[in-house]
Amino acid sequence: MTDTTGFNAQRRSFLKMTATAAAVGTALGTGLATMPAWADEKIGYPEKPQLTFGFIKLTDMAPLAIAYEKGFFEDEGLYVSLQAQANWKVLLDGVVGGSLDGAHMLAGQPLAATIGYGTKAHIITPYSMDLNGNAITVSNQVWADMLPNLPKQPDGKPVHPISAKYLKPVVEEFKKEGKAFKMGMVFPVSTHNYYLRYWLAAGGLNPGFYNPVKGDTSGQLNADVLLSVTPPPQMPATLQAGTIDGYCVGEPWNEQAIVKGIGVPIITDFEIWKNNPEKVFGMTAEFVKKYPNTAVRVVKALIRAGHWLDENNNANREEAVKILSKPQYVGADASVIAKSMTGTFEYEKGDTRKVPDFNVFFRYNATYPFYSDAVWFLTQMRRWGQIPAEKTDSWYKETAKSVYRPDIYQRAAMALIAEGKFKPAQFPNFATETGYKPATANFIDGITYDGTKPNTYLKSFSLGLKGDQTI
């Protein structure tokens, strides 16, 4: 938990300062010009100023840490405590149960909860926390088995991106020996699960199906590769123990495998889907309805944090790394966190390559909650059986709109523009923005995704459920 020593005294001091400023302003006839940011009448006073937010120890929780450390929350009259959570289920339960007011979440969590897959609760997303940031790592032995068949560059290093088709012979050899090939991902509705499945399927490997109608939530039906849940910080140790043969996780837990000498990251999610959406910030719909001003002010602070992380070509990343390395945040060595946060990524030991967009927190409209991002995750839930029956295109659209809330984001952005902190060009054109990104084929298999046509998209895959198919 972030140190909140002196919290009450600090808050009393701040409120006293505010009252004094208001009195002086009134006396001088200057009114709101002397008031702090949270007194802006256009948004209104934060109804719930004292907040507790949850996170998992990953580098992409950075906007929360920066908003706290740089005082962006306090600028909005918000007094925030940040609490690390043991795993994604505990985190979700905290938000649903009310012990957490909001949290750093897997993009699939608000969607799954809202449609009733697993925990049933209406969770909304007014802010997207980042793009990219994950990778797939395999054990040293699996890498050694893959390496001879990989195409090489003139310098002898493997050509990237590496297709799962080069993993397929290794998996087949496991089968011949009567062994299961196992890989870890962080949660059944995580981006890691869907990107890992996408990569495997694109290489001709079946990652398995879910059948919730019959009570099967393992996701291993008909699987060539058995996927199971492991909390992010435990990934390296689980791989080292031989319990799994590889995993998909966010940083710094892929680079940690190199530091420990136990595995090799072989592909980033940027190479699976260029500038893919990653984590989101989630709150219950009930919280947002009850505390609308607070919700907007939270988003204002997070937008500023995301911008700080990316501004001036990532000039602040070294400082961010030092902050994230603190035990109350990620708690990994700064040198490990810096490997990806400062624009590089090390695949096998000594093979460090420039990946300037491995972590994106603001540019490319990274913070805007696009409906098309929500629809993509819903298509993957349908593809692998978590959504067991066919849904209409309008269902995907309406579900996305019930969870992703660009209206809240727009209010926050417009307030920041009015305050002179941002320019309109730094955000989507709110007058014309539909919430759907242009169709893109920037996937490892070259298949085009158009968020307005989810069922057409599903039909383009040779592997996975489509139409009225069921397990």
Side-chain angles (χ1 to χ4, degrees), residues 251-325:
E251 281 307 294
W253 310 114
N254 295 286
E255 299 292 54
Q256 189 81 334
I258 295 177
V259 173
K260 288 179 171 292
I262 60 172
V264 176
I266 58 175
I267 187 169
T268 66
D269 60 344
F270 179 83
E271 297 166 297
I272 297 170
W273 176 12
K274 183 180 178 181
N275 290 331
N276 61 84
E278 214 344 76
K279 302 296 189 307
V280 297
F281 185 78
M283 297 180 281
T284 64
E286 180 184 7
F287 180 95
V288 173
K289 184 178 181 180
K290 189 174 182 180
Y291 310 116
N293 300 341
T294 301
V296 174
R297 291 185 179 281
V298 168
V299 175
K300 284 181 68 183
L302 291 175
I303 289 173
R304 291 180 66 191
H307 177 260
W308 184 90
L309 283 158
D310 278 10
E311 69 179 331
N312 298 325
N313 295 316
N314 297 349
N316 295 324
R317 292 293 181 90
E318 288 189 9
E319 182 181 351
V321 165
K322 292 178 182 177
I323 291 171
L324 293 173
S325 67

Side-chain angles (χ1 to χ4, degrees), residues 378-385 387-389 396 458 465 467 469:
L378 291 168
T379 65
Q380 301 309 294
M381 292 179 191
R382 170 62 185 141
R383 184 183 181 187
W384 303 115
I387 297 174
Y396 286 93
L458 283 166
L465 299 179
Q469 292 178 343

